[in-house]
Amino acid sequence: MKKICTFGAGLLLLVLVMAGCAETNAAPSATPTTVQPAPAGLYGPELAAQAFQKGGCGACHIIPGVKGAVGTIGPDLTNINQTAQAALDKGEYHGSAKTVQEFLAESIRQPDAYIAPDCNGAPCQKGLMPSTLADLFNDEEINAMVQFLMNPPKEEASASQEENAPTPAAQTELINEEEFAWAKQVYFERCAGCHGTLRKGATGPALTPDKTQPKGTLALASIIFNGTPRGMPDWGKQGFLTQQQTEIMAKFLQEEPPTPPEMSLEQMKATWKVLVPPEKRPTSPQTRRDWENYFIVTLRDAGQVAIIDGDTYEVVDRVDTGYAVHITRMSASGRYAYVIGRDGKLAMIDLWTEIPQKVAEVQVCYDARSVEVSKYNGQEGDFTDKYAVVGCYWPPHFVILDGQTLEPFKVVSTRSYTFDTEEYHPEPRVASIVASTYKPEWIINVKETGLIWLVNYADPNNPTIKMIEAARFLHDGGWDASKRYFLVAANQSNKIAVIDALEGKLAALVDTPAVPHPGRGANWVDPEFGPVWSTSHLGEGAIVSIGTDPEGHPDSAWKAVRVTPLPGSGSLFIKTHPNSPWIWVDMALNSDPALSRTVCVIAKKDPSKVYQCWEIATYGRAVHMEYNRQGTEVWVSVWGDASKPGETGEIVVYDDATLQEKTRILNLVTPTGKFNVYNTVNDIY
Ligand code: DHE
C-alpha cells in the first residue's frame, strides 16, 4: 500500500487508503511509487522537516520552516500546539490524548479523532485525511514531528532545511508513454475545465511543474484522491480513479503540459453537416405538444439531451449531441435548441417537428462550454434566429455561425493580455456568453484575462469589440430582472462584475464570499432591499443577494445587501421564478454525500434564513433546478453514475406551492442541466 501525509481535518496526515474503488478508466498499470524511509542520521527538527517533506504534508498545511509547506486545505500548523491545548482545556477533544504531545501524535495516527474547526477560514472536514497512517512514519519520525510542532521555528525555512529538502527533480518520477497518453486524456476530461489546458490555473490553481514538483507525487495524489473543501472533487473517493491512477495523474502533472493542436475554419467546415436544410423544415409547429414547455435535459455521460414534455413528463426524444454535453440555449424564437458538448460539437435541434429533430451539427473546437444566439430585434435590424456563437476553451477563441445551418464563418481568437498586469496569456478561455436585447451585441466573458468583451455582430465578418476591464477569472452569470444589467462571477476573485448593457460599461464590482457560482442567478424582490439578484457559492455556505435597482433603490444598488446562510458549501446553482414564493438552491459539490443530494428553499418573505432543506434521493447529487413554463413546478436533477444500473439518475418534480414531490422521471443517464424553452428564451430565473 502507498501512503501519503498531510495535515487537514483534525491534524491530517493522508494515507491513500484505497479499497475497492470502481475503475472507470482503463489505465495502464502504474510505475510503482516507493515511499523512502527518512535518511539515517537525521534527528530533531531536521528529521521532522524530512518527514513532513516525505509525506508531502505541505500540500495541505502551512508548516513554518518547512520548504513549500503553504497548503490551505488543512489547518495552519503554525500555532497548532496552542489550538491543541485549547481543545483539551475546553474538553472538545474526544480522543484518548491527555497532553498536547499525545494530541499531536494521535492526530497523525488517527486523524479523525478530532476535527479542527478552522481550515483557513472554512470548516475542516472529516475523512479528508485517511486513517491508516501509522505505517508511513516510524515512531522516531512521529516523535520528531510532534516536537517540531510543539516549538515551531519563527523564521522561514533555515538554510540547512532548504538543503535537506528533496529537490523537485529528485522527486519527479517519469511515466511511460502509455501512462502519459492515458493521463493526458483524463486531464482533458476531468481537470482542464478548472485548471486550464496549459495548466495555468483558473477556477482551480495553476498546475505547472514549478508548482507541482515541490509538492511531489504523494501529496498531489492525495489531493486528487480526496478533493478539497473549496470544490476540487474527490476523484478517488468517488470511484473515478484508483489509487494507482491518482499516482499516474500526479506524476503527469509534474511533467511539462503538452500543447494541444489549433483548429482552422477549414477543419471546422469539414465537420459541418446540414441534416435537414432550412427550406425542408416546417413553417409552423407540427406537434400538438406545448413545445415551449419542453425541457431540454443534459444527459451528460450519454452524450445526449433528452427532450421532455413539461406537461406530461414523457421523454419525447433523445438526441445525440457532443461528448460530456454541457449546456443548451434556445434561438430567440425558441424554435431551435443549440446544444454544446465539451468536445466543441454543436448540435441544432428543431423543436417544431412532430418529434424534435437534429437538423445540423458542427465541431468548432476541441473543448467548449458555452453557446448563445443573436437576440436583437430593433432599429439596427432583426437578428432573430440569425446567428449562433460558440465560446471555446481550446483553442481559445469564439466562432460565429449561421443560425439556420450552423455554417461557421468567423473565428476570433481571445489570446491577449491580462487586464490587470497586462501580461500575455496563451489560453484565455471563453466562459459565459449572453445576448443583449438593447444592441446587436454578445457579452463574452474571457476567463483568464478578466476582460468582458462586448462583441457587436451587426456586421459579423467585421465585428467591433469593446473590452471592459473586470476581474479574473470570469465564469457564469445572468441578467437582472430588467435585462439591462448582466452579473457575472469572477469566481477566484470572489467578485461579481456588473455590466450595463445599455451604456456598454462596467457598473460595479461587488465582493462576495468564496467562489461565487450563480449559474444564471436568481432575480426576486427582497422585502427590505427591493429587486435583487442572488448567487450561491462553491467555497462557502452562503447566498448573497445584490441590489439591482439603481433608480428605485439607489442605496442597495450593486451592494451585497443580504447574506443567507446555507448548511454547507459546494453550491452550483440557484433558481427562482417571478411567480414563486421560494428561492431554490443546491449544494451539489459538497463533500458530504448527504448534503450533496440536498436542496434548500428560502422563503422570499423571510430571506434571512433557510426555510427547509431535504435530501431528494438516496444516491447521486442534487444539481440544477428549473421551473416549468407556468412557474408552478420545479425540476431537480439527481446526477447519478452512468455505470450503476438503477442509480444512473432521474429528475424529481416538485409542486412549487406545496414543496411536495409530484413525480420522478426515472432512468435518465446522468441528468445535469435542464432548460425549459420558454424560460430560457425569456431569461426567467
Ligand atoms: Fe458548467 C454553465 C463552465 C463544470 C453544468 N459552466 C457553465 C458556464 C460555464 C461553465 C462557462 C456558463 C455558460 C453560459 O452561460 O454561457 N462548468 C464549466 C467549467 O469550466 C467546469 C467548472 C469544469 C469543467 O470541466 O467543465 C464546469 N458544469 C460543470 C459540471 O460539472 C456540471 C455541474 C455538469 C456537467 O455538465 O458536467 C456543469 N454548467 C453546468 C450547467 C450550466 C453551466 C447546467 C448552465 C446553468 C444555467 O442554468 O444556465
Side-chain angles (χ1 to χ4, degrees):
M1 172 174 318
K2 286 127 194 146
K3 303 142 216 120
I4 186 156
C5 136
T6 170
F7 287 81
L11 272 181
L12 294 189
L13 268 176
L14 296 187
V15 175
L16 287 184
V17 243
M18 249 318 290
C21 276
E23 275 195 44
T24 53
N25 300 293
S29 57
T31 310
T33 298
T34 317
V35 176
Q36 299 294 336
L42 292 181
Y43 59 91
E46 288 180 351
L47 177 60
Q50 189 69 45
F52 288 127
Q53 291 286 356
K54 178 172 93 174
C57 307
C60 291
H61 300 277
I62 296 167
I63 313 174
V66 176
K67 188 184 175 191
V70 291
T72 54
I73 297 167
D76 181 341
L77 301 185
T78 311
N79 297 314
I80 194 69
N81 52 356
Q82 292 160 31
T83 313
Q85 186 66 61
L88 289 168
D89 291 348
K90 286 187 208 153
E92 287 170 0
Y93 189 72
H94 300 303
S96 56
K98 300 280 178 281
T99 66
V100 172
Q101 283 94 333
E102 287 169 7
F103 174 115
L104 294 173
E106 193 162 72
S107 298
I108 297 169
R109 294 192 173 103
Q110 295 171 38
D112 283 346
Y114 174 70
I115 304 301
D118 179 21
C119 280
N120 295 288
C124 301
Q125 298 199 15
K126 196 172 178 177
L128 246 191
M129 178 168 163
S131 53
T132 325
L133 301 167
D135 14 322
L136 180 63
F137 301 114
N138 59 34
D139 289 346
E140 207 187 338
E141 287 169 318
I142 292 182
N143 195 26
M145 287 190 282
V146 168
Q147 294 315 321
F148 184 99
L149 294 173
M150 290 300 293
N151 191 14
K154 300 281 174 275
E155 300 297 320
E156 288 294 299
S158 70
S160 69
Q161 282 161 356
E162 296 277 345
E163 279 156 24
N164 285 329
T167 63
Q171 287 181 325
T172 308
E173 294 156 86
L174 294 177
I175 48 178
N176 64 35
E177 241 174 73
E178 196 192 349
E179 290 168 341
F180 191 89
W182 173 84
K184 191 171 98 174
Q185 186 60 23
V186 172
Y187 183 84
F188 167 71
E189 289 170 9
R190 304 268 174 211
C191 321
C194 290
H195 299 279
T197 303
L198 301 179
R199 300 201 220 126
K200 290 188 173 295
T203 303
L207 296 173
T208 40
D210 58 315
K211 303 275 191 299
T212 52
Q213 287 185 358
K215 287 190 164 58
T217 303
L218 291 172
L220 291 168
S222 97
I223 295 172
I224 298 167
F225 194 89
N226 294 287
T228 70
R230 279 177 70 89
M232 159 95 181
D234 44 355
W235 298 116
K237 284 186 183 165
Q238 281 184 43
F240 284 111
L241 295 173
T242 64
Q243 180 191 355
Q244 276 197 334
Q245 289 171 333
T246 58
E247 286 179 13
I248 298 175
M249 290 306 296
K251 290 174 190 169
F252 170 78
L253 293 179
Q254 294 168 77
E255 308 243 6
E256 282 299 328
T259 307
E262 301 295 317
M263 189 185 268
S264 66
L265 185 61
E266 197 188 338
Q267 286 171 298
M268 296 172 200
K269 283 198 173 166
T271 70
W272 171 48
K273 286 187 200 141
V274 180
L275 305 167
V276 183
E279 61 280 8
K280 297 227 166 110
R281 296 177 200 157
T283 50
S284 60
Q286 301 298 297
T287 173
R288 293 180 150 193
R289 297 176 190 271
D290 178 5
W291 59 274
E292 287 185 284
N293 198 24
Y294 282 163
F295 285 68
I296 318 298
V297 178
T298 298
L299 303 180
R300 188 194 188 281
D301 294 345
Q304 292 181 326
V305 289
I307 296 158
I308 303 184
D309 186 328
D311 297 327
T312 64
Y313 314 122
E314 287 164 280
V315 178
V316 184
D317 198 11
R318 284 185 165 86
V319 180
D320 289 332
T321 54
Y323 167 81
V325 53
H326 192 225
I327 68 162
T328 298
R329 296 291 184 242
M330 300 320 148
S331 68
S333 70
R335 171 191 183 156
Y336 295 114
Y338 298 87
V339 186
I340 188 73
R342 279 189 169 71
D343 53 1
K345 276 196 189 137
L346 179 65
M348 175 179 178
I349 302 169
D350 187 355
L351 302 177
W352 276 8
T353 42
E354 194 180 347
I355 307 273
Q357 203 179 353
K358 183 160 69 173
V359 291
E361 65 181 21
V362 66
Q363 183 181 22
V364 294
C365 40
Y366 303 107
D367 196 7
R369 294 296 180 282
S370 50
V371 58
E372 183 53 300
V373 299
S374 52
K375 285 191 172 173
Y376 176 78
N377 182 4
Q379 282 184 343
E380 292 185 58
D382 181 359
F383 292 88
T384 307
D385 294 7
K386 202 156 181 195
Y387 302 124
V389 58
V390 172
C392 295
Y393 269 17
W394 190 270
H397 61 210
F398 65 85
V399 180
I400 307 178
L401 312 96
D402 183 293
Q404 294 289 322
T405 65
L406 294 193
E407 180 178 9
F409 63 90
K410 184 73 191 170
V411 186
V412 180
S413 173
T414 47
R415 287 192 174 104
S416 51
Y417 288 76
T418 52
F419 87 95
D420 42 4
T421 54
E422 301 292 349
E423 281 166 292
Y424 176 71
H425 199 295
E427 191 193 354
R429 298 175 294 167
V430 178
S432 45
I433 307 180
V434 291
S436 170
T437 45
Y438 286 90
K439 296 175 193 171
E441 216 163 64
W442 287 306
I443 300 181
I444 295 190
N445 295 281
V446 187
K447 187 187 284 286
E448 277 77 7
T449 55
L451 287 160
I452 299 175
W453 289 15
L454 305 185
V455 178
N456 189 299
Y457 56 73
D459 179 7
N461 283 303
N462 305 286
T464 55
I465 301 179
K466 177 171 179 179
M467 299 181 187
I468 299 180
E469 297 187 345
R472 300 199 223 180
F473 291 86
L474 298 164
H475 194 73
D476 52 353
W479 293 104
D480 80 308
S482 76
K483 299 187 184 64
R484 171 171 168 176
Y485 299 100
F486 171 67
L487 296 97
V488 58
N491 58 17
Q492 287 303 321
S493 302
N494 305 330
K495 287 189 193 317
I496 295 289
V498 186
I499 291 292
D500 180 344
L502 178 62
E503 300 281 337
K505 63 176 196 196
L506 184 76
L509 277 175
V510 185
D511 288 320
T512 67
V515 200
H517 193 285
R520 282 168 290 164
N523 286 298
W524 55 286
V525 181
D526 186 285
E528 212 179 322
F529 303 106
V532 291
W533 174 94
S534 301
T535 180
S536 54
H537 298 78
L538 269 169
E540 252 169 80
I543 292 174
V544 158
S545 298
I546 296 170
T548 55
D549 181 19
E551 296 199 349
H553 297 79
D555 291 348
S556 307
W558 317 133
K559 288 184 192 137
V561 289
R562 186 184 288 286
V563 178
T564 310
L566 290 177
S569 60
S571 175
L572 285 176
F573 299 110
I574 182 166
K575 191 60 62 85
T576 190
H577 188 282
N579 299 346
S580 171
W582 312 109
I583 301 151
W584 292 65
V585 62
D586 67 24
M587 287 165 286
L589 292 191
N590 194 288
S591 56
D592 175 346
L595 279 180
S596 75
R597 46 181 175 254
T598 294
V599 291
C600 295
V601 291
I602 292 105
K604 288 180 185 171
K605 62 176 190 210
D606 182 14
S608 60
K609 58 182 189 301
V610 157
Y611 174 78
Q612 196 179 320
C613 299
W614 68 96
E615 284 180 53
I616 69 163
T618 52
Y619 69 93
R621 297 168 189 270
V623 69
H624 197 256
M625 292 68 55
E626 176 66 306
Y627 277 83
N628 62 347
R629 178 184 177 165
Q630 298 79 7
T632 54
E633 284 175 2
V634 176
W635 294 27
V636 192
S637 298
V638 180
W639 180 7
D641 181 339
S643 67
K644 291 191 183 152
E647 295 191 355
T648 58
E650 59 200 86
I651 288 174
V652 192
V653 179
Y654 291 97
D655 180 325
D656 188 59
T658 63
L659 304 180
Q660 294 303 305
E661 183 179 320
K662 278 181 100 168
T663 190
R664 284 179 184 245
I665 306 168
L666 298 171
N667 298 322
L668 300 171
V669 177
T670 55
T672 52
K674 302 158 293 302
F675 305 93
N676 176 273
V677 173
Y678 184 85
N679 292 339
T680 309
V681 169
N682 295 292
D683 289 301
I684 295 174
Y685 35 80

